[in-house]
């Protein structure tokens, strides 16, 4: 090989090849692996089917890995004629594996053309696609094997050629590989090479190994880390690692047989349950000795919670209100349409010593166990009473019961906005979480907004003896969820929606102040704090990293990385750069967002833009672990702008209260303004090629935005609401969601809110090409919401497409359907933002409507 070709080979090894030509594109660099193969001992000239034995076919069946481990492979380059060659083996056959990756930036169909005198098999992503069994006597163009290749944008395809060379061959083995585009005028850029970087795609959000949970022992000495390794649709494994926190040493690994492992409330032991002849047995494992012992026999079936003193179990029996017999069913309440709505749940206590299981609550109203005091003597429970004529359509009451005397103290009576309740470590106080509207609005801080957003959870502390309630988050912007009132530092720990992050804060009751824990990751999905110590473990995610588990020393405020199971996978993927980008509205409101750039970003180029928002009351977090992750769209060469407009929790009560009685007011204006200002601030964005998308309330926002602006060149709405009135009446949770989104407003007392804000009543204003997607059995937002708008836009002669996802609810759970669903979104944007309709036409070829 001459020096020029050597340099070319080295260059391609480092960067991969790029094709912009319209003729055959020769693949010139491969990873390669070889192994000798021998013909088995033959005791006849025919096989069991009485066919003459084909020795070459037997050798080709030798099982070798066709998906490569880079560490055990060499690199080989083609000569100036495009061939890679191998000598004729002297004594025994030789199997060669040649491997490379190939990717296109646009949807592309073509074929791989293999020219060789040898016998070969061709594999695409590990699946055999074609073969050539004839052998030629010399290296020329007569021996060809072709493999069709359908390439979706930015999907990396791994190609492996299995080639057989034998001593009796008349010609040395050689292979020339080329890719030929089906359409010669295609502008798609093809990248190939032995080690090109991959792109972040939907399978990366599903498959691979992730930390799913962490659980620290009561003292903080031991840790359970839960993993789920999802290899393929039908192959996965779940396992648990038990380790020592001080040394990090692994003590044991538990597979699915002990998947229910958890810590006893106070003792440093694990417990799990096994099926017994009657009920279940509880067994414990001592981490210090790994001794497995029987703790209790034949406990009742069903889920349970432990008493903190480990003497009792609490069960939750349910009873169902009888339904009418026969085909006609009387509906007594709007919720009666919802499966399970006639179930009533109660509480029972099972004494482990006496084996007596006695009911603590009964009646017509469901009751829920809130907490049990550390000494096991008191329980907090709540009841829920329906009240359909008053928002929020339920009244909650909170009770404290003495388990020794069965005396019940009513702490809160029929509070409309009651949430959760938990004891302080000494049992003298109770921390409550509820709406800002709760307890006569003592925690409300909405500024000029008249009604608070009930989803913006606030925290309160009740003095148990006086029943006085004090708000503690009134001036604290994040929305809170209680985690633990720790006995060691006497602080209350909360998981929070903190702008576009999920952070952990602790509240110091004596100082009356909040402290942000300096944890790693923008989104903390799990946080486990030792109940009798100051050690914790947590899982962190960001917009550019998957699940990572950490150990956290609360005193030293220091994190230690324990595991990053997706690191090896992500190291092979080029991710886009993520940065915060926010702007200030005319009234001084800061609207926070972030941008994600394409992996091979070039500031001298012009890129199409995709704008994503939820637009409802939950912030869009900085996480790469969801089907709308910014990295998924950036990987397809879009700049992505994620915005959290007014109405979102996590930014303070006044900000979240803008969601109430708005249905798009102000929110839409902020999305439009933010998009325009983003384009002005980023000259590499092509302002004529902007797409937007959202789901659920975000789907509503997509539709509504198109009635207010022509800024967008394409739009996507998944499970969006087009008619607020029909959603209010038909969706399982339509009327109850509107108790927040349209508080105190009904179709008869505020008809403008229910009509003027919806896209259906403004359909004639929509000119943007719009894609509607909807699951056929969506019970949250019924599919009729998309049907109505689709019909309207078709009658108006507008550009609209409607994709129904069979058998799916509000979320597309079935992975094969989810992949097709997302490909439809990506193909729609490629059609309108990248000027390439080939992918859309491949997915949905035109059919004649008669």
């Amino acid at each position: 090989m001459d020096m020029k070709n050597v340099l070319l080979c080295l260059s391609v090894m480092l960067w991969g090849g790029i094709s912009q030509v319209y003729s055959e594109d020769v693949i010139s660099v491969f990873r390669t692996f070889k192994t000798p193969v021998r013909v088995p001992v033959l005791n006849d000239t025919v096989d069991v089917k009485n066919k003459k034995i084909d020795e070459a076919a037997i050798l080709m069946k030798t099982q070798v890995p066709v998906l490569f481990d880079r560490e055990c492979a060499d690199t080989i380059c083609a000569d100036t004629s495009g061939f890679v060659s191998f000598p004729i083996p002297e004594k025994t056959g030789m199997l060669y594996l040649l491997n490379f990756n190939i990717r296109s930036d646009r949807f592309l169909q073509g074929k791989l053309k293999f020219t060789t005198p040898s016998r070969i098999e061709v594999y695409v992503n590990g699946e055999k696609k074609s073969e050539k069994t004839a052998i030629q006597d010399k290296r020329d163009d007569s021996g060809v094997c072709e493999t069709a290749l359908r390439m979706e944008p930015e999907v990396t395809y791994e190609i492996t050629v299995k080639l057989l060379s034998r001593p009796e061959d008349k010609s040395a083995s050689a292979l020339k590989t080329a890719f030929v585009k089906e359409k010669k005028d295609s502008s798609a850029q093809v990248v190939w090479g032995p080690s090109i970087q991959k792109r972040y795609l939907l399978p990366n959000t599903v498959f691979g190994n992730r930390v799913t949970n962490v659980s620290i022992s009561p003292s903080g000495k031991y840790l359970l880390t839960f993993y789920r390794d999802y290899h393929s649709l039908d192959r996965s494994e779940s396992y648990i690692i038990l380790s020592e926190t001080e040394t990090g040493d692994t003590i044991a690994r538990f597979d699915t047989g002990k998947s229910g492992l958890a810590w006893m409330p106070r003792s440093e032991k694990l417990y799990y349950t096994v099926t017994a002849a009657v009920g279940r047995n509880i067994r414990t494992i001592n981490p210090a000795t790994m001794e497995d012992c029987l703790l209790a026999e034949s406990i009742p079936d069903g889920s349970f919670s432990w008493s903190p003193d480990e003497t009792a179990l609490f069960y939750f029996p349910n009873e169902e209100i009888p339904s009418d017999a026969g085909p006609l069913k009387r509906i007594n309440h709007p919720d009666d349409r919802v499966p399970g709505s006639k179930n009533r749940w109660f509480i029972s206590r099972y004494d482990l010593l006496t084996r007596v299981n006695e009911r603590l609550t009964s009646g017509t109203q469901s009751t829920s166990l809130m907490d049990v005091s550390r000494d096991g003597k008191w329980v907090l429970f709540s009841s829920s009473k329906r009240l359909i004529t008053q928002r929020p359509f339920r009244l909650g009451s909170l009770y404290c019961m003495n388990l020794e005397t069965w005396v019940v103290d009513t702490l809160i009576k029929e509070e409309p906005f009651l949430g959760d309740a938990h004891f302080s470590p000494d049992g003298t106080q109770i921390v409550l979480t509820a709406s800002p509207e709760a307890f006569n609005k003592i925690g409300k801080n909405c500024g000029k907004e008249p009604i608070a957003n009930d989803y913006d959870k606030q925290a309160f502390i009740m003095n148990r003896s006086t029943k006085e309630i004090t708000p503690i988050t009134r001036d604290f912007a994040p929305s809170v969820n209680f985690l633990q009132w720790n006995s060691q530092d006497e602080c209350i720990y909360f998981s929070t929606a903190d702008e576009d992050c999920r952070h952990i804060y602790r509240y110091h009751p004596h100082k009356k102040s909040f402290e942000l824990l300096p944890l790693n990751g923008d989104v903390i999905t799990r946080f486990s704090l030792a109940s009798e110590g100051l050690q914790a473990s947590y899982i962190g995610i960001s917009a550019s990293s998957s699940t990572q588990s950490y150990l956290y020393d609360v005193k030293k405020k220091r994190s230690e990385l324990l595991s990053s199971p997706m690191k090896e996978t992500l190291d092979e993927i080029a991710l886009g750069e993520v940065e915060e980008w926010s702007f200030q509205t005319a009234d001084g409101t800061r609207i926070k967002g972030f941008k994600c750039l394409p992996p091979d970003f070039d500031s001298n180029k012009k890129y199409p833009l995709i704008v994503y928002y939820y637009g409802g009351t939950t912030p869009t977090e900085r996480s790469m672990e969801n089907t709308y992750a910014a990295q998924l769209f950036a990987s397809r060469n879009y700049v992505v702008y994620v915005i959290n407009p007014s109405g979102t929790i996590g930014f303070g009560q006044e900000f979240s209260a803008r969601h109430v009685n708005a249905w798009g007011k102000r929110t839409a204006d902020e999305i439009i303004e933010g998009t325009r200002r983003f384009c002005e601030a980023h000259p590499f964005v092509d302002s004529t090629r902007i797409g937007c998308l959202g789901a659920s309330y975000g789907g509503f926002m997509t539709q509504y935005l198109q009635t207010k602006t022509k800024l967008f060149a394409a739009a996507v709405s998944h499970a969006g609401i087009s008619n607020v009135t029909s959603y209010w009446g038909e969706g399982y949770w339509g009327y109850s969601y509107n108790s927040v989104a349209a508080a105190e407003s009904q179709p008869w007392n505020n008809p403008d809110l229910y009509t003027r804000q919806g896209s259906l009543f403004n359909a004639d204003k929509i000119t943007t090409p719009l894609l509607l997607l909807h699951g056929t059995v969506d019970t949250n937002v019924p599919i009729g919401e998309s049907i109505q708008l689709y019909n309207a836009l078709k009658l108006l002669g507008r550009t609209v497409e409607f994709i129904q996802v069979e058998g799916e609810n509000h979320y597309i759970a079935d992975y094969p359907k989810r992949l097709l669903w997302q490909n439809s979104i990506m193909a729609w944007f490629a059609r309108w933002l990248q000027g390439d309709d080939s992918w859309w036409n491949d997915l949905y070829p035109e059919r004649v409507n008669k």
Side-chain angles (χ1 to χ4, degrees):
M1 187 181 296
D2 60 29
M3 183 56 65
K4 181 179 179 181
N5 201 39
V6 170
L7 292 174
L8 175 62
C9 182
L10 289 173
S11 174
V12 175
M13 286 167 59
L14 291 172
W15 302 104
I18 299 179
S19 168
Q20 290 179 303
V21 298
Y22 303 141
S23 58
E24 292 185 357
D25 182 30
V26 176
I27 312 298
S28 59
V29 185
F30 306 84
R31 290 195 299 269
T32 184
F33 172 81
K34 66 179 180 178
T35 182
V37 287
R38 291 172 285 274
V39 177
V41 176
L42 304 176
N43 58 20
D44 207 337
T45 59
V46 296
D47 60 18
V48 293
K49 296 181 180 179
N50 204 33
K51 293 183 179 180
K52 184 179 179 180
I53 290 176
D54 183 345
E55 294 183 3
I58 292 176
L59 294 177
M60 288 296 287
K61 290 180 181 178
T62 303
Q63 294 185 359
V64 290
V66 295
L67 295 178
F68 264 52
D69 183 348
R70 294 182 181 180
E71 294 182 359
C72 66
D74 296 320
T75 302
I76 189 171
C77 297
D79 59 25
T80 53
S81 65
F83 279 90
V84 291
S85 303
F86 307 98
I88 297 175
E90 296 181 359
K91 296 180 180 180
T92 185
M94 191 71 70
L95 268 182
Y96 293 94
L97 295 181
L98 294 99
N99 173 274
F100 66 94
N101 295 329
I102 189 168
R103 189 179 72 235
S104 172
D105 69 334
R106 301 290 179 91
F107 179 81
L108 184 62
Q109 296 195 78
K111 62 184 177 182
L112 289 166
K113 180 180 178 182
F114 302 95
T115 305
T116 178
S118 305
R119 182 166 187 156
I120 66 170
E121 293 177 349
V122 180
Y123 295 80
V124 178
N125 293 339
E127 182 180 350
K128 183 178 174 181
K129 292 295 186 180
S130 61
E131 65 179 347
K132 172 180 172 288
T133 58
I135 301 175
Q136 280 72 45
D137 292 340
K138 59 181 180 179
R139 188 179 86 175
D140 57 25
D141 293 336
S142 62
V144 174
C145 175
E146 293 183 344
T147 302
L149 193 59
R150 177 184 179 275
M151 300 173 68
E152 295 175 357
E154 300 300 349
V155 176
T156 300
Y157 296 86
E158 185 168 354
I159 312 299
T160 303
V161 181
K162 189 178 181 181
L163 182 148
L164 176 64
S165 179
R166 298 192 301 163
E168 54 267 42
D169 291 346
K170 295 181 180 180
S171 172
S173 296
L175 180 73
K176 181 179 180 180
T177 304
F179 177 71
V180 184
K181 297 178 181 178
E182 183 180 86
K183 294 183 178 180
K184 304 303 180 184
D185 60 346
S186 171
S187 61
Q189 293 189 6
V190 178
V191 181
W192 53 264
S195 56
I196 60 174
Q197 277 198 296
K198 299 177 181 178
R199 293 293 182 263
Y200 190 73
L201 305 172
L202 184 68
N204 299 119
T205 69
V206 176
F207 302 110
N209 194 3
R210 287 172 174 80
V211 190
T212 59
N213 199 6
V214 287
S215 179
I216 203 163
S217 66
S219 72
K221 185 176 181 179
Y222 302 105
L223 176 68
L224 287 178
T225 307
F226 297 74
Y227 294 88
R228 171 80 183 275
D229 200 349
Y230 202 168
H231 306 296
S232 64
L233 285 178
D234 56 357
R235 298 186 68 83
S236 66
E237 64 173 329
S238 297
Y239 59 95
I240 307 167
I241 299 296
L242 170 64
S243 59
E244 194 172 31
T245 56
E246 184 175 351
T247 64
D249 293 342
T250 295
I251 299 171
R253 169 179 166 141
F254 304 101
D255 293 313
T256 53
K258 293 186 174 67
S259 59
L261 274 177
W263 294 107
M264 298 284 289
R266 190 165 296 177
S267 58
E268 291 288 279
K269 291 183 180 180
L270 295 163
Y271 78 91
Y272 65 100
T273 62
V274 294
T275 302
V278 177
R280 290 176 296 161
N281 295 340
I282 298 178
R283 302 193 65 88
T284 63
I285 298 174
N286 186 337
T289 63
M290 291 306 295
E291 182 181 13
D292 190 319
C293 298
L294 177 66
L295 177 67
E297 291 184 281
S298 301
I299 66 167
D301 287 320
S303 62
F304 61 83
S305 294
W306 279 93
S307 172
D309 62 358
E310 301 182 355
T311 63
L313 307 174
F314 291 90
Y315 285 84
F316 313 102
N318 74 88
E319 299 172 5
E320 185 175 358
I321 297 174
S323 298
D324 296 330
L328 303 183
K329 307 292 183 184
R330 181 188 180 194
I331 299 296
N332 294 305
H333 188 278
D335 289 349
D336 285 352
R337 299 183 303 122
V338 181
S341 64
K342 292 193 173 184
N343 281 339
R344 297 295 181 267
W345 297 87
F346 304 102
I347 309 167
S348 69
R349 180 179 183 272
Y350 178 80
D351 189 296
L352 288 168
L353 180 62
T354 65
R355 296 191 178 187
V356 173
N357 191 13
E358 54 185 345
R359 286 281 290 269
L360 302 184
T361 62
S362 187
T364 60
Q365 300 174 18
S366 284
T367 53
S368 300
L369 180 66
M370 297 282 102
D371 199 10
V372 184
S373 62
R374 278 167 56 85
D375 58 13
K377 294 180 180 179
W378 301 85
V379 294
L380 280 176
F381 70 92
S382 66
S383 67
S384 178
K385 176 183 177 181
R386 290 175 168 181
L387 183 63
I388 193 60
T389 58
Q390 177 181 318
R391 183 179 79 92
F393 311 125
R394 288 183 183 274
L395 298 175
S397 298
L398 182 66
Y399 307 93
C400 185
M401 179 179 185
N402 186 315
L403 292 175
E404 294 176 346
T405 65
W406 281 48
V407 172
V408 176
D409 183 16
T410 301
L411 301 177
I412 298 172
K413 183 66 173 178
E414 296 188 349
E415 164 60 51
F417 301 99
L418 182 64
D420 294 333
H422 301 270
F423 283 115
S424 63
D426 63 7
T428 63
Q429 300 177 89
I430 296 170
V431 59
L432 305 164
T433 57
S435 161
E437 299 277 335
F439 316 127
N440 293 318
K441 302 179 173 53
I442 60 173
K444 184 178 175 183
N445 185 16
C446 298
K448 61 183 180 181
E449 300 295 330
I451 302 176
N453 184 332
D454 294 337
Y455 295 126
D456 197 342
K457 282 192 178 180
Q458 304 298 305
F460 308 79
I461 292 179
M462 169 188 276
N463 182 304
R464 189 173 151 196
S465 61
T466 66
K467 296 185 177 59
E468 181 184 359
I469 299 174
T470 303
I472 64 172
T473 56
R474 188 178 184 276
D475 300 311
F476 182 64
S479 177
V480 301
N481 284 295
F482 173 84
L483 289 176
Q484 184 188 115
W485 196 327
N486 187 265
S487 62
Q488 302 300 303
D489 62 4
E490 298 183 342
C491 290
I492 307 172
Y493 288 75
F494 293 98
S495 173
T496 69
D498 189 9
E499 298 191 342
D500 56 2
C501 297
R502 203 184 313 173
H503 289 148
I504 307 299
Y505 282 83
R506 64 174 175 175
Y507 178 72
H508 300 263
H510 300 300
K511 299 178 182 178
K512 298 182 179 180
S513 64
F514 282 89
E515 176 190 2
L516 171 66
L517 300 192
L519 307 181
N520 295 324
D522 294 322
V523 179
I524 309 303
T525 61
R526 296 286 189 274
F527 183 83
S528 176
L529 175 64
S531 58
E532 308 295 330
L534 289 175
Q535 286 280 84
S537 186
Y538 66 93
I539 298 174
I541 302 175
S542 75
S544 302
S545 65
S546 185
T547 58
Q548 295 178 308
S549 66
Y550 297 87
L551 191 66
Y552 181 68
D553 188 311
V554 177
K555 284 186 177 179
K556 297 179 180 179
K557 300 181 182 180
R558 186 173 62 198
S559 292
E560 176 188 348
L561 179 65
L562 297 178
S563 66
S564 182
M566 283 291 286
K567 183 180 186 304
E568 185 176 341
T569 298
L570 293 179
D571 282 347
E572 297 181 354
I573 295 174
L575 296 173
E577 181 182 351
V578 177
E579 293 181 356
E580 180 180 332
W581 193 85
S582 303
F583 71 96
Q584 195 170 46
T585 63
D587 68 354
T589 302
R590 171 175 164 267
I591 303 299
K592 189 174 182 181
F594 63 90
K595 64 183 177 183
C596 185
L597 303 178
D600 294 326
F601 175 71
D602 181 349
S603 61
N604 295 315
K605 291 184 178 180
K606 284 282 191 177
Y607 291 90
L609 174 69
I610 288 181
V611 181
Y612 178 74
Y613 39 76
Y614 174 57
T617 199
T618 304
T620 301
E621 296 176 332
R622 296 193 185 204
S623 170
M624 70 188 305
E625 295 283 316
N626 64 76
T627 52
Y628 296 100
Q631 294 284 1
L632 292 173
F633 295 92
S635 72
R636 257 57 186 249
N637 299 306
Y638 298 99
V639 172
V640 182
Y641 171 40
V642 178
I643 181 173
N644 279 299
S646 286
T648 306
I649 65 172
F651 294 83
Q653 289 188 41
E654 192 276 338
F655 194 90
S656 68
R658 297 175 184 177
H659 177 69
V660 181
N661 285 311
W663 275 105
K665 292 177 183 176
R666 184 166 185 159
T667 301
D669 293 337
E670 290 173 354
I671 294 173
I672 293 168
E673 181 183 359
T675 302
R676 285 181 173 147
R677 291 176 63 172
F678 186 92
C679 293
E680 293 169 359
H682 300 92
F684 50 77
V685 169
D686 185 343
S687 61
T688 66
R689 295 186 295 156
I690 306 173
C692 62
L693 81 155
S696 193
Y697 193 99
F700 160 83
M701 284 305 309
T702 291
Q703 299 173 17
Y704 180 58
L705 280 166
Q706 311 324 307
T707 71
K708 294 179 66 66
T709 182
K710 301 187 186 305
L711 177 64
F712 301 103
V716 174
S717 166
H718 173 75
I721 300 161
S722 66
N723 181 350
V724 181
T725 306
S726 59
Y727 166 69
W728 169 87
E730 188 179 358
Y732 274 5
W733 300 279
Y735 81 95
S736 57
Y737 178 76
N738 269 291
S739 72
V740 180
E744 308 300 345
S745 294
Q746 307 295 358
W748 52 88
N749 67 18
N750 193 353
D752 283 355
L753 179 66
Y754 282 84
T755 55
R756 292 182 183 275
Q757 296 305 109
S759 59
L760 180 63
F761 294 94
N762 297 280
D764 58 327
K765 300 173 184 175
I766 297 176
T767 59
T768 306
L770 177 62
L771 173 63
L772 304 168
L773 304 108
H774 223 120
T776 58
V777 292
D778 193 332
T779 54
N780 186 341
V781 178
I783 192 172
E785 293 301 314
S786 286
I787 293 173
Q788 292 179 85
L789 185 59
Y790 174 74
N791 290 348
L793 294 177
K794 291 299 284 187
L795 289 173
L796 288 163
R798 305 295 158 78
T799 302
V800 61
E801 295 282 356
F802 181 25
I803 306 298
Q804 300 185 24
V805 189
E806 291 295 327
E808 293 298 299
N809 206 309
H810 201 51
Y811 173 77
I812 310 303
D814 181 78
Y815 177 75
K817 295 176 185 176
R818 197 190 320 166
L819 185 59
L820 291 171
W821 165 84
Q822 191 180 78
N823 283 349
S824 300
I825 295 173
M826 294 296 185
W828 182 255
F829 282 137
R831 176 182 181 181
W832 295 104
L833 305 184
Q834 295 179 336
D836 184 358
D837 62 2
S838 56
W839 195 7
W840 179 266
N841 293 336
D842 178 79
L843 290 171
Y844 303 105
E846 287 296 327
R847 306 190 190 281
V848 176
N849 266 336
K850 293 185 178 180

